[in-house]
Amino acid sequence: MPETAFAPTTVPVPGEALVPLASFIRPFQRHYFSGLPERPNYRARSYDFAGVPALMPLVRAFLDTCAATETNDYRYLFTLLGSELANNAIRHSLSGQPGGTYTLRVHRDKEGLRLACRDRGGMRTRNTHLIPAPDGLNLGAESGRGLAMIDALSTTWGDNGNAEYRTVWLYLAYDLTGSGWHSHN
């Protein structure tokens, strides 16, 4: 027998399964992930995501599609900032625990897009508003960079201060007014 007949094979890790990302999309909302401006005049879109990092490509596709009628810079920045909100929900709330979820809601108006991320909270014991780390934009900072980036690059942002079900939102004007984007690229 040839030597390759005894070559080790890849064995799946117990508890893991390979599932196409498209299987996580509800059929009637597939257009939310197309990357195309097929429904450019929507007022609002909302989607619940499982709190697992492996679904971040879907999060980015959702955000990019929401901004599909805008410039490449706007689409990139909106997707970047929204991905950061989603990552924070997974990493800093119960949304990232087994069975956890978070919701992204996008509202369109004539001046820009507002994105809200509602997570399951639970990692803090009292209500308090988020504050970006003062040195968060320092490349050597070990933590706090995401919220500092949202503070610097969104038109405006905030949170509800609720420790149990936190909602963090950002607004990005189409002309990037109030954003430090042009001074940082």
Side-chain angles (χ1 to χ4, degrees):
M1 245 182 201
E3 195 172 304
T4 57
F6 295 105
T9 59
T10 303
V11 178
V13 176
E16 289 188 11
L18 298 177
V19 179
L21 287 176
S23 66
F24 291 94
I25 302 172
R26 294 184 285 279
F28 65 94
Q29 291 175 314
R30 288 202 189 282
H31 62 281
Y32 285 13
F33 301 88
S34 70
L36 302 173
E38 63 213 38
R39 296 183 184 190
N41 296 321
Y42 72 90
R43 291 277 186 209
R45 286 187 175 164
S46 179
Y47 206 82
D48 299 325
F49 291 92
V52 293
L55 295 183
M56 286 307 293
L58 285 182
V59 169
R60 287 189 290 274
F62 173 78
L63 295 164
D64 181 67
T65 301
C66 287
T69 60
E70 303 311 315
T71 66
N72 287 339
D73 271 4
Y74 189 92
R75 286 176 81 164
Y76 175 82
L77 187 56
F78 186 75
T79 301
L80 175 72
L81 297 176
S83 296
E84 187 57 41
L85 290 184
N87 277 320
N88 285 350
I90 293 168
R91 192 163 180 203
H92 301 295
S93 82
L94 294 176
S95 293
Q97 300 298 313
T101 63
Y102 60 95
T103 303
L104 294 180
R105 287 188 176 96
V106 177
H107 294 272
R108 173 182 290 284
D109 67 29
K110 64 181 183 172
E111 305 291 325
L113 295 177
R114 177 185 168 98
L115 172 65
C117 180
R118 184 173 191 254
D119 64 42
R120 292 182 53 208
M123 303 299 256
R124 296 175 183 250
T125 56
R126 62 181 183 75
N127 293 343
T128 182
H129 288 283
L130 299 174
I131 300 170
D135 67 338
L137 293 180
N138 178 346
L139 294 178
E142 291 189 25
S143 66
R145 289 186 303 267
L147 200 54
M149 181 176 63
I150 290 168
D151 184 51
L153 299 178
S154 64
T155 300
T156 186
W157 74 278
D159 73 289
N160 65 352
N162 188 329
E164 197 167 321
Y165 280 96
R166 183 171 300 276
T167 299
V168 183
W169 59 269
L170 65 85
Y171 184 80
L172 189 61
Y174 295 135
D175 65 2
L176 301 178
T177 298
S179 169
W181 175 250
H182 292 296
S183 63
H184 293 283
N185 67 6

